[in-house]
Every structure is written in C-alpha cells, then in structure tokens.
Amino acid sequence: MMARSCSSLFLAAVAVAVALVLAVPSLASDPDNLQDICVADLNSELKLNGFPCKANATAEDFFSGILAKPGATNTTSGSVVTGANVEKVPGLNTLGVSLSRIDYAPGGLNPPHTHPRATELVFVLYGELDVGFITTANKLFAKTISEGDVFAFPRGLVHFQKNSGDKPAAVISAFNSQLPGTQSIAITLFGASPEVPDDVLAKAFQIGTEEVDKIKSKFAPKS
C-alpha cells in the first residue's frame, strides 16, 4: 500500500513538472534586467538575444523626440508606423518596453500583421478607427475606437487598424518588448526573398498562379 501511495505521488509530481515545462513558452517575454541599465551598443558585432551593453551611457540614450510629429501617410496603405524601440532608444535595452506612433490618412489602413514578441496596447490621440484581432479559432474581435480610447491586441495574433473616416487619425502603441517585431501577412507571403513557391500560395488561397504572380508583383522587394 505504501509503495502504491509513493508511486502515485511520484506520478503526480511528474505531471506537475510537465505542466510547468509546457507553460514556459506561454509566459515567455523579454528577460528581466540584472542591472540598473544596459544601454544597447548598436554598433557591436557581438550577436546575442538582445544587445550588449555599451560603456559611458548618457541621458540621451534614454531620450527621443521621434514620436512628437505625425509621420507622412502618403504610402500605399495610407498609414505609417514610427517606432521608438531599442533601435531608436538604446536605453530601452533589457527594459522590456517600447512605443510606436501610427498615423493614418483618411481611409488609411495598417494592414493585417502580427507582433511575435509582444502584446500591443493602442491609445487614440485623435480620429476614429475600426480595429480588430483574430484568434487562432478564427474569431474576430472588432470595435470602433476614438480619441482617448485604448484597445489591446494579444501577442502573436493577427490584427489591423483602419481609418474609415474623412479626417486623419493617430495612435500611440505600447509594447511589452524592447523590440516587438512586425510580420505583415501580405508582405510575408507575397514579398518573401527567396519567393514562396507559386503553387503553395495558389493552393493556400485557392487562386490561380497568374493571380499569385500579379499579387507578388505588387510586393516585390525593392532592388
């Protein structure tokens, strides 16, 4: 009886250990900082998960005025993203946060995309936007937001924002990563280099290879 009880406890302990191991990826985020500051040395040739620390940090490493002015929205999609991440604010290295500003022309769209390393929270500076994200069960969560509103996009899920109004709009986006990364769905699939094979895209989207080539021509990498 004692042996059976010990065996049951052992199996329970193994089950808990396995559950904890499986839970780790879902809790993954930027690593905690082990010192007060670690200003990124963006010129270092050392490759690691993040950036090495540079010597002689100054207050300027923690400052940027890059989000103060609207970006030019004369783009194909009618929107522009201005990032304030570790590449623009080196002092953010190891701190696990960053910001972006997104400006939208009337009718402008921030096309469907994902941030593989961060959850995003947008705060509307002005204007009105139709926003939404799609879960892995293909359920759309969508809402119209306006000045002063906030909306969250869970980490890794496809999401978008569109200015359906006749006036410009802008948001400030906050991320729980110093470098959240952005993967645009259309550009990723139709603008990859080397190219994703036509037959793969044709079958995935249930269209002909001629249509695939037409779409690829719109996203061809600039030479």
Side-chain angles (χ1 to χ4, degrees), residues 51-129:
F51 294 92
C53 309
K54 78 171 188 177
N56 303 319
T58 70
E60 293 302 310
D61 293 314
F62 298 87
F63 167 82
S64 176
I66 196 170
L67 304 185
K69 298 180 180 179
T73 56
N74 56 341
T75 63
T76 303
S77 62
S79 72
V80 62
V81 179
T82 304
N85 53 42
V86 67
E87 295 177 333
K88 301 295 178 63
V89 188
L92 292 179
N93 196 38
T94 75
L95 300 186
V97 294
S98 61
L99 295 175
S100 286
R101 173 179 177 139
I102 313 174
D103 291 282
Y104 314 80
L109 170 72
N110 189 11
H113 62 281
T114 70
H115 300 296
R117 297 185 291 273
T119 291
E120 177 181 9
L121 182 69
V122 298
F123 171 81
V124 184
L125 292 174
Y126 52 83
E128 187 174 274
L129 298 166

Side-chain angles (χ1 to χ4, degrees), residues 48-217:
L48 45 75
N49 190 21
F51 294 92
C53 309
K54 78 171 188 177
N56 303 319
T58 70
E60 293 302 310
D61 293 314
F62 298 87
F63 167 82
S64 176
I66 196 170
L67 304 185
K69 298 180 180 179
T73 56
N74 56 341
T75 63
T76 303
S77 62
S79 72
V80 62
V81 179
T82 304
N85 53 42
V86 67
E87 295 177 333
K88 301 295 178 63
V89 188
L92 292 179
N93 196 38
T94 75
L95 300 186
V97 294
S98 61
L99 295 175
S100 286
R101 173 179 177 139
I102 313 174
D103 291 282
Y104 314 80
L109 170 72
N110 189 11
H113 62 281
T114 70
H115 300 296
R117 297 185 291 273
T119 291
E120 177 181 9
L121 182 69
V122 298
F123 171 81
V124 184
L125 292 174
Y126 52 83
E128 187 174 274
L129 298 166
D130 294 326
V131 302
F133 65 84
I134 305 157
T135 70
T136 55
N138 291 328
K139 182 176 181 179
L140 172 65
F141 288 78
K143 189 171 179 62
T144 299
I145 58 177
S146 55
E147 183 174 337
D149 290 341
V150 298
F151 193 85
F153 303 102
R155 174 184 174 182
L157 297 185
V158 176
H159 59 281
F160 62 87
Q161 305 106 29
K162 186 178 189 301
N163 180 4
S164 297
D166 57 3
K167 297 180 180 179
V171 304
I172 293 294
S173 293
F175 302 93
N176 60 336
S177 172
Q178 66 184 41
L179 196 62
T182 300
Q183 191 166 35
S184 172
I185 306 303
I187 294 175
T188 295
L189 293 173
F190 293 95
S193 180
E195 295 183 0
V196 177
D198 286 3
D199 60 335
V200 171
L201 295 174
K203 191 162 187 176
F205 288 92
Q206 297 295 294
I207 58 178
T209 55
E210 291 185 1
E211 284 83 358
V212 170
D213 287 335
K214 288 180 181 179
I215 299 173
K216 279 188 173 181
S217 68

